[in-house]
Every structure is written in structure tokens, then in C-alpha cells.
Amino acid sequence: MAKLTIFSYHPGRSMIHQLDVRFKLTILVVINLVSLQSGLGGIAFLTVLPGLMLFHIRVSVFSVLKETRLFLFLLLFIFISRTLSTPGYPIFEYGIVSISAQGLEAGFLMCWRLLVILFVGFVFVHTSPLEEIKAAVGWFLKPVPGIPEQRVGIMLSLMIRFIPVLLDQATETSMAQKARAVENRKNPLFRLITFSIPYIKRIFKTADQLILAMEARCYSEDRTDPELSSKSRDWTIFFIVSAYCIIIMLLNLFIIPTLHFFP
């Protein structure tokens, strides 16, 4: 069994917990789209939103980063690849390796955008029950012809439910490596292979067990979803966040593009 992590749903009485999940899903999409279109100045202003959200639900940024250690390694890989592949004014050269000022800025910006997306997604998962997420996805997809909205909702809710399972499996695999002194091997490729193969095997085995359990219980996608209702508070928060994102987009178009770390 997977342990309860901060990436699971935690009941609460905060304003974000009580917000209609359809509005939370829309806000999640809006912030992610704005983050992908923002420069350094725009993403700095946009970071205020997930920061206030984490503060409101009383979750530390460091606790989120601690639970996503593997994601930080991915960010490091992205930062290095963007730094080495982006052309520009060179600040360090050694053989075929060239690091440009524009590459450093592009790598830093990309990692910052992904962190904003991570924090906003965490707030959504942390404050939204899975059955309400399924109902919201089905509500949005119901007018779209040719898409089984109930099946898509179940798939999305199962994917979110598997986040703590994946983190737990990664922790168990890492502990097994330490018990076998794999970390003492100097070859990073060997350590990566010995971690990846059993980790992926554990994931597929857990997925097969879940499928068998659902089939044994005659689980069907035609289930009664919870009733979703919006209030004036939901619309007010949605318009405030949307207005803030529109202001950031306007700043990106007229003011912030002139701001850079390097000339």
C-alpha cells in the first residue's frame, strides 16, 4: 500500500478546498497556459499565485520539493540541455562545449515555468477529491461528440491516484538499491539502469493488480457522480485570477519582453 503523501487529497476548510472543482480545473489550465507564454518578468509575477495558494492551504514549498526530488533531477537535465544547446553570446568555452548567456537564461526560464506548473498542479490535487475531478472532467467533455467522458474521467482520476503510489515505489526501489550498496558504484549509467528496470517492473505489476481488482468487483464507468454546484464566490475568484493573468499577458506584450538577465 502506498503511504499518504502531500500529493494525495487532504480534506480541509480552506477557500480553495471549498472552490468548485470545475473552476479549479479551469484556473489550473489558465495559469499553465500563461506560464508557457511568459518571460522572466511575467513568470516572476505569475509565481505569486501558486505561492499564495500554498500559503493558504498551509503547505511548505520545501515539503513539495522534497516529495519531488526525482523531478528536480529532470529540471537539472533540462537546464543543462537548454544551456548547452541555445546559441548566443558565449561566456564559457571548452572544446565543443559552449555555454552562452542566452542559454543560461533559457534554461532557467524553462525550469521556472515547470516549477510553477508543478506547484499549481499540486494545489489542485491536494484540495480536490478524485470523484469530483472525475465529475468535472465528464462535465467538460460531455458536449464534445465522440469522446467517452466517463471513461476519460476515470482514467484521469486513476492517474492522479497513482501519483503517491509512484512516489512510494520510487522510495522502496531506492532503499533496495542502498541495501545492496548500488550507490557505491561510480558508473551513473549502471545506477540508472538498476533503478529503472525494477521500478518500471513494480509500476506495471501494481497496474495489473489494480486492473484485476477492478474486474473482480465488476467496476463500471457508468457510476453516479457527485453533484457539482457553483456559487458567487467561485465566479469571483475565477474573475480575479483571470484578470491577474490578463495583466501578466499584457505586460509580456508591452513591457516585460525588454527585461533580461543578460544584455
Side-chain angles (χ1 to χ4, degrees):
M1 290 295 294
K3 299 178 182 178
L4 186 65
T5 67
I6 61 173
F7 277 89
S8 306
Y9 167 65
H10 290 249
R13 298 182 179 179
S14 68
M15 183 172 54
I16 299 180
H17 280 87
Q18 300 174 7
L19 193 65
D20 190 336
V21 69
R22 293 172 295 181
F23 287 86
K24 284 191 282 190
L25 185 59
T26 305
I27 290 173
L28 170 68
V29 174
V30 170
I31 294 178
N32 289 345
L33 291 176
V34 174
S35 66
L36 294 177
Q37 300 296 326
S38 299
L40 289 172
I43 203 69
F45 283 105
L46 188 62
T47 308
V48 175
L49 284 178
L52 292 176
M53 293 177 183
L54 290 174
F55 177 78
H56 180 64
I57 63 176
R58 298 182 179 180
V59 175
S60 171
V61 175
F62 298 102
S63 60
V64 179
L65 296 178
K66 182 180 178 181
E67 291 286 345
T68 55
R69 294 183 296 271
L70 296 178
F71 182 75
L72 297 181
F73 284 107
L74 174 63
L75 291 183
L76 178 61
F77 175 78
I78 294 174
F79 176 78
I80 294 175
S81 61
R82 291 299 297 266
T83 300
L84 297 178
S85 61
T86 304
Y89 178 76
I91 60 177
F92 176 81
E93 289 182 323
Y94 182 80
I96 61 174
V97 177
S98 177
I99 299 177
S100 64
Q102 289 74 15
L104 289 174
E105 184 174 326
F108 181 77
L109 177 59
M110 179 59 67
C111 294
W112 198 347
R113 288 171 175 170
L114 293 177
L115 278 177
V116 170
I117 294 174
L118 170 68
F119 291 144
V120 177
F122 162 76
V123 173
F124 176 75
V125 174
H126 192 82
T127 61
S128 305
L130 292 179
E131 59 272 12
E132 292 187 5
I133 295 177
K134 174 182 173 297
V137 173
W139 186 86
F140 279 112
L141 296 180
K142 189 174 182 179
V144 182
I147 296 181
E149 67 277 1
Q150 295 291 337
R151 188 177 307 171
V152 174
I154 291 178
M155 292 172 60
L156 181 61
S157 61
L158 288 177
M159 181 181 65
I160 296 175
R161 176 63 183 85
F162 253 76
I163 293 178
V165 176
L166 296 178
L167 295 175
D168 188 50
Q169 297 287 5
T171 302
E172 291 182 1
T173 306
S174 178
M175 293 176 62
Q177 281 190 309
K178 292 181 180 179
R180 293 165 175 79
V182 176
E183 291 187 347
N184 295 332
R185 300 292 295 266
K186 297 182 179 180
N187 189 346
L189 182 61
F190 176 81
R191 295 199 302 268
L192 178 62
I193 293 176
T194 54
F195 175 84
S196 301
I197 294 178
Y199 179 55
I200 295 175
K201 183 179 179 180
R202 283 172 174 265
I203 293 174
F204 281 105
K205 184 178 179 180
T206 305
D208 289 338
Q209 292 175 349
L210 176 62
I211 293 173
L212 293 176
M214 294 175 66
E215 291 179 349
R217 291 165 176 80
C218 299
Y219 190 89
S220 173
E221 61 188 38
D222 297 327
R223 303 177 66 87
T224 302
D225 294 327
E227 184 178 355
L228 301 177
S229 60
S230 60
K231 302 178 181 178
S232 59
R233 174 187 56 197
D234 303 323
W235 288 100
T236 301
I237 295 176
F238 173 73
F239 283 125
I240 291 175
V241 175
S242 299
Y244 188 80
C245 292
I246 291 174
I247 293 174
I248 292 177
M249 293 301 297
L250 294 176
L251 292 176
N252 287 328
L253 291 175
F254 300 106
I255 300 177
I256 296 179
T258 61
L259 302 178
H260 297 278
F261 283 161
F262 303 97

